[in-house]
Amino acid sequence: MAKEPVRVLVTGAAGQIGYALVPMIARGVMLGADQPVILHLLDIPPAAEALNGVKMELVDAAFPLLKGVIATTDVVEACTGVNIAVMVGGFPRKEGMERKDVMSKNVSIYKSQASALEKHAAANCKVLVVANPANTNALILKEFAPSIPEKNITCLTRLDHNRALGQVSEILNVQVSDVKNVIIWGNHSSTQYPDVNHATVKTPSGEKAVRELVADDAWLTGEFITTVQQRGAAIIKARKLSSALSAASSACDHIRDWVLGTPEGTWVSMGVYSDGSYNVPSGLIYSFPVTCQNGEWKIVQGLSIDEFSRKKLDATADELSEEKALAYSCLS
């Protein structure tokens, strides 16, 4: 029997990431090849014409799974009845802007979108925040949509997770699909901690630890970490534009694994509401290793954390606590 369509909201849909993301959703990359979708596309009034152009292209592509497109600049219309919300729209930091200025712009955007989602989204709507500062934008959204369960509000660190997988596969010259269980801890910023202490690679003679195969601790605790942390800046330098297709692809990965589940024995990284696991302060949206089953994520417990890692986990938590304080100061 044909499935009921799932309504997926994409904010900032006329932007670069939105333009890369919507065809992936319409093609079944996010929710599966048998799941029809109705796209709700939101952008700001100055982008209305470009947004209409995106809608025209979606119609022109004749995607079999796409059962409708709502393209609007009205936040209530965009949020009505949505089952999944991918929050790509935000206020980017411009040259000469202080962090507090960017934060206050994003606080006001996420405050208004949170209340629209709370009042008009479908029950049990799953939310993924992509726009930076992603962790703190997600926290603001949680504050202003108190009836959306905290477990349903997440932020994107899967891009960083995938970047870490990519770096390991490149140095070992193996397929990226054979590498698993890297971890991104903390903030989607340059303080994030890409951790390979528990990561493995599938080899002809069974699974082997990444650390053992790389056999270069200096690279793993140095260049590997900084490459993943600063990959976004490297792409801006190369393209003169920020990461779009990789961000869109990892947003699909994040939602797909959350909704359809992670493979047995594999975890992924998601920015989720901290419950105090691994001595991370509760009340932050922090990236942890998680497994997903039946549409729910669960933090992987009991992983050993060495002294080097502990410092990194704490440093990124400190930055998130500072961001939280800054965001809350914008509310007063």
Side-chain angles (χ1 to χ4, degrees), residues 211-288:
R211 195 169 275 285
E212 179 193 322
L213 290 175
V214 171
D216 184 348
D217 280 358
W219 184 79
L220 286 171
T221 56
E223 190 186 335
F224 164 73
I225 291 174
T226 54
T227 298
V228 175
Q229 286 173 334
Q230 293 162 18
R231 187 67 159 187
I235 286 165
I236 290 172
K237 192 164 180 254
R239 286 190 76 227
K240 312 295 178 272
L241 293 164
S242 56
S243 325
L245 82 84
S246 55
S249 180
S250 59
C252 288
D253 292 343
H254 175 113
I255 296 285
R256 187 185 62 246
D257 286 343
W258 188 5
V259 172
L260 301 177
T262 46
E264 187 69 34
T266 299
W267 63 67
V268 294
S269 302
M270 284 170 65
V272 298
Y273 196 64
S274 170
D275 60 358
S277 293
Y278 296 100
N279 293 331
V280 170
S282 52
L284 298 175
I285 301 262
Y286 189 99
S287 182
F288 287 97

Side-chain angles (χ1 to χ4, degrees), residues 174-197:
V174 296
Q175 295 297 318
V176 74
S177 53
D178 289 338
V179 186
K180 70 175 189 181
N181 296 353
V182 298
I183 302 167
I184 302 296
W185 298 98
N187 198 1
H188 174 63
S189 75
S190 59
T191 66
Q192 64 173 266
Y193 172 43
D195 175 7
V196 296
N197 286 320

